[in-house]
PDB file of all heavy atoms in Angstrom:
ATOM      1  N   HIS A 159      59.001 -18.199 -32.278  1.00 94.00           N
ATOM      2  CA  HIS A 159      58.097 -18.158 -30.940  1.00 94.00           C
ATOM      3  C   HIS A 159      58.741 -17.091 -30.149  1.00 94.00           C
ATOM      4  O   HIS A 159      57.959 -16.137 -29.707  1.00 94.00           O
ATOM      5  CB  HIS A 159      58.058 -19.535 -30.150  1.00 94.00           C
ATOM      6  CG  HIS A 159      57.419 -19.409 -28.810  1.00 94.00           C
ATOM      7  ND1 HIS A 159      56.139 -19.570 -28.728  1.00 94.00           N
ATOM      8  CD2 HIS A 159      57.930 -19.036 -27.616  1.00 94.00           C
ATOM      9  CE1 HIS A 159      55.719 -19.420 -27.471  1.00 94.00           C
ATOM     10  NE2 HIS A 159      56.843 -19.131 -26.789  1.00 94.00           N
ATOM     11  N   CYS A 299      47.236 -19.934 -27.164  1.00 91.00           N
ATOM     12  CA  CYS A 299      47.893 -21.072 -26.552  1.00 91.00           C
ATOM     13  C   CYS A 299      47.437 -21.031 -25.087  1.00 91.00           C
ATOM     14  O   CYS A 299      47.579 -20.113 -24.281  1.00 91.00           O
ATOM     15  CB  CYS A 299      49.314 -21.131 -26.726  1.00 91.00           C
ATOM     16  SG  CYS A 299      50.171 -22.342 -25.611  1.00 91.00           S
ATOM     17  N   THR A 300      47.070 -22.256 -24.540  1.00 90.00           N
ATOM     18  CA  THR A 300      46.712 -22.318 -23.017  1.00 90.00           C
ATOM     19  C   THR A 300      47.858 -22.177 -22.146  1.00 90.00           C
ATOM     20  O   THR A 300      47.675 -21.831 -21.014  1.00 90.00           O
ATOM     21  CB  THR A 300      45.816 -23.575 -22.783  1.00 90.00           C
ATOM     22  OG1 THR A 300      46.631 -24.706 -23.315  1.00 90.00           O
ATOM     23  CG2 THR A 300      44.509 -23.539 -23.515  1.00 90.00           C
ATOM     24  N   GLU A 301      49.042 -22.270 -22.665  1.00 89.00           N
ATOM     25  CA  GLU A 301      50.110 -22.197 -21.785  1.00 89.00           C
ATOM     26  C   GLU A 301      50.843 -20.865 -21.785  1.00 89.00           C
ATOM     27  O   GLU A 301      51.099 -20.150 -20.849  1.00 89.00           O
ATOM     28  CB  GLU A 301      51.205 -23.290 -22.201  1.00 89.00           C
ATOM     29  CG  GLU A 301      52.468 -23.304 -21.359  1.00 89.00           C
ATOM     30  CD  GLU A 301      52.296 -23.749 -19.953  1.00 89.00           C
ATOM     31  OE1 GLU A 301      51.381 -24.494 -19.601  1.00 89.00           O
ATOM     32  OE2 GLU A 301      53.033 -23.212 -19.050  1.00 89.00           O
ATOM     33  N   CYS A 302      51.014 -20.351 -23.029  1.00 90.00           N
ATOM     34  CA  CYS A 302      51.916 -19.186 -23.215  1.00 90.00           C
ATOM     35  C   CYS A 302      51.093 -17.949 -23.701  1.00 90.00           C
ATOM     36  O   CYS A 302      51.581 -16.748 -23.762  1.00 90.00           O
ATOM     37  CB  CYS A 302      53.202 -19.292 -24.182  1.00 90.00           C
ATOM     38  SG  CYS A 302      52.606 -19.606 -25.843  1.00 90.00           S
ATOM     39  N   GLY A 303      49.788 -18.226 -24.155  1.00 89.00           N
ATOM     40  CA  GLY A 303      48.999 -17.200 -24.729  1.00 89.00           C
ATOM     41  C   GLY A 303      49.310 -16.651 -26.161  1.00 89.00           C
ATOM     42  O   GLY A 303      48.693 -15.871 -26.668  1.00 89.00           O
ATOM     43  N   GLN A 304      50.406 -17.334 -26.702  1.00 90.00           N
ATOM     44  CA  GLN A 304      50.774 -17.017 -28.195  1.00 90.00           C
ATOM     45  C   GLN A 304      49.654 -17.534 -29.051  1.00 90.00           C
ATOM     46  O   GLN A 304      49.057 -18.520 -28.789  1.00 90.00           O
ATOM     47  CB  GLN A 304      52.101 -17.562 -28.467  1.00 90.00           C
ATOM     48  CG  GLN A 304      53.225 -16.650 -27.839  1.00 90.00           C
ATOM     49  CD  GLN A 304      53.441 -15.435 -28.548  1.00 90.00           C
ATOM     50  OE1 GLN A 304      53.908 -15.243 -29.663  1.00 90.00           O
ATOM     51  NE2 GLN A 304      52.982 -14.303 -27.876  1.00 90.00           N
ATOM     52  N   LEU A 311      47.563 -26.382 -26.796  1.00 90.00           N
ATOM     53  CA  LEU A 311      48.957 -25.784 -26.691  1.00 90.00           C
ATOM     54  C   LEU A 311      49.385 -25.401 -28.114  1.00 90.00           C
ATOM     55  O   LEU A 311      49.058 -26.056 -29.087  1.00 90.00           O
ATOM     56  CB  LEU A 311      49.921 -26.815 -26.104  1.00 90.00           C
ATOM     57  CG  LEU A 311      49.717 -27.262 -24.729  1.00 90.00           C
ATOM     58  CD1 LEU A 311      50.699 -28.441 -24.383  1.00 90.00           C
ATOM     59  CD2 LEU A 311      49.917 -26.162 -23.755  1.00 90.00           C
ATOM     60  N   CYS A 312      50.365 -24.430 -28.162  1.00 90.00           N
ATOM     61  CA  CYS A 312      50.873 -24.033 -29.443  1.00 90.00           C
ATOM     62  C   CYS A 312      51.975 -25.050 -29.737  1.00 90.00           C
ATOM     63  O   CYS A 312      52.452 -25.817 -28.949  1.00 90.00           O
ATOM     64  CB  CYS A 312      51.550 -22.646 -29.564  1.00 90.00           C
ATOM     65  SG  CYS A 312      52.890 -22.430 -28.357  1.00 90.00           S
ATOM     66  N   ALA A 313      52.472 -24.947 -31.054  1.00 87.00           N
ATOM     67  CA  ALA A 313      53.500 -26.065 -31.448  1.00 87.00           C
ATOM     68  C   ALA A 313      54.754 -25.943 -30.513  1.00 87.00           C
ATOM     69  O   ALA A 313      55.401 -26.917 -30.219  1.00 87.00           O
ATOM     70  CB  ALA A 313      53.917 -25.786 -32.946  1.00 87.00           C
ATOM     71  N   PHE A 314      55.223 -24.731 -30.103  1.00 89.00           N
ATOM     72  CA  PHE A 314      56.401 -24.484 -29.261  1.00 89.00           C
ATOM     73  C   PHE A 314      56.181 -25.165 -27.936  1.00 89.00           C
ATOM     74  O   PHE A 314      57.020 -26.006 -27.377  1.00 89.00           O
ATOM     75  CB  PHE A 314      56.657 -23.011 -29.162  1.00 89.00           C
ATOM     76  CG  PHE A 314      57.832 -22.733 -28.292  1.00 89.00           C
ATOM     77  CD1 PHE A 314      59.007 -22.885 -28.687  1.00 89.00           C
ATOM     78  CD2 PHE A 314      57.515 -22.227 -26.960  1.00 89.00           C
ATOM     79  CE1 PHE A 314      60.142 -22.582 -27.940  1.00 89.00           C
ATOM     80  CE2 PHE A 314      58.625 -22.004 -26.167  1.00 89.00           C
ATOM     81  CZ  PHE A 314      59.903 -22.168 -26.577  1.00 89.00           C
ATOM     82  N   CYS A 315      54.955 -24.769 -27.311  1.00 89.00           N
ATOM     83  CA  CYS A 315      54.695 -25.433 -25.971  1.00 89.00           C
ATOM     84  C   CYS A 315      54.533 -26.928 -25.989  1.00 89.00           C
ATOM     85  O   CYS A 315      54.948 -27.721 -25.123  1.00 89.00           O
ATOM     86  CB  CYS A 315      53.416 -24.769 -25.250  1.00 89.00           C
ATOM     87  SG  CYS A 315      53.757 -23.116 -24.907  1.00 89.00           S
TER      88      CYS A 315
HETATM   89 ZN1   ZN B 419      52.345 -21.857 -26.187  1.00 83.96          ZN
END
Side-chain angles (χ1 to χ4, degrees):
H159 176 85
C299 170
T300 48
E301 180 66 29
C302 69
Q304 285 287 286
L311 295 178
C312 69
F314 178 78
C315 290

